[in-house]
Amino acid sequence: MSEPEGVSRRGVFVKLGLLFNGAVAVALAVPVVRYLLSPVLRAHGTADEAWVSLGPAMRFPAGQTRLATYQNPVARPSDGATAQLPCWVRHVEGEKFQVFAINCAHLGCPVRWFPQSSLFMCPCHGGVYYADGSRASGPPERGLFEYRWKVEKGELLIEAGELPTPGGRALASLAAGSSRCA
């Protein structure tokens, strides 16, 4: 007896298995390829960089540090209230500012400003920072992360497309020559 011509049951399952494995491989490869190409894409200006206003520079009196919030430029509608990000703004003098991420450099807990002692303090593990954001004591090994900033038409703007990190800050200071952008 001869087998009927056509596709066997085993052949159908083999083809379905190959199709399924190919779809899984493509689904896993897309984020990996995107991750590997992200430095190249970022270098060509496709990164999520945005200058965001914190409001009029007059809102921050000289010699004071105040809490400000801004809308995350890469937020999605589903982010809700979490798209509002806080930061600390220190008006040094004239048109010189420092804008700090609210997160402690140790484990990311939100730091709080105490004007009586002119210190930022972290409630989680006792990290303490001076008014200029440099480390005073505790477990953090470095100062607070700083945003790049500029004043345009009386508005204080920060570069908020990326969260400030040691690598980003080092690269930004090399590119700009300082933490202030002209």
Side-chain angles (χ1 to χ4, degrees):
M1 295 187 80
S2 67
E3 292 186 26
E5 292 203 19
V7 180
S8 70
R9 185 175 176 176
R10 180 179 181 183
V12 169
F13 282 121
V14 166
K15 288 180 183 177
L16 282 175
L18 290 172
L19 181 67
F20 178 74
N21 286 333
V24 169
V26 168
L28 292 174
V30 168
V32 170
V33 169
R34 238 180 119 186
Y35 171 77
L36 293 173
L37 293 179
S38 65
V40 173
L41 297 174
R42 188 172 295 130
H44 286 63
T46 59
D48 297 322
E49 296 175 2
W51 288 94
V52 177
S53 175
L54 295 178
M58 294 174 23
R59 184 176 141 207
F60 306 100
Q64 291 189 16
T65 299
R66 292 205 171 161
L67 185 66
T69 59
Y70 65 92
Q71 177 74 26
N72 185 349
V74 294
R76 296 187 176 122
S78 61
D79 290 343
T82 61
Q84 291 294 321
L85 299 175
C87 61
W88 290 106
V89 178
R90 176 178 178 239
H91 188 165
V92 180
E93 63 183 344
E95 283 201 6
K96 184 171 185 206
F97 292 87
Q98 284 185 295
V99 183
F100 304 109
I102 196 166
N103 307 93
C104 177
H106 178 230
L107 293 177
C109 295
V111 296
R112 186 169 167 209
W113 171 248
F114 289 89
Q116 306 86 348
S117 58
S118 295
L119 295 171
F120 291 100
M121 295 185 185
C122 177
C124 296
H125 301 107
V128 181
Y129 304 90
Y130 294 115
D132 67 355
S134 61
R135 178 188 178 274
S137 69
E141 295 183 7
R142 62 171 319 280
L144 291 172
F145 299 114
E146 289 188 52
Y147 288 97
R148 292 179 59 205
W149 61 273
K150 65 182 177 181
V151 176
E152 271 185 7
K153 299 177 186 171
E155 295 278 317
L156 178 61
L157 306 170
I158 62 169
E159 189 175 26
E162 288 184 17
L163 291 176
T165 60
R169 183 174 164 203
L171 294 175
S173 64
L174 285 175
S178 72
S179 63
R180 183 181 187 281
C181 298

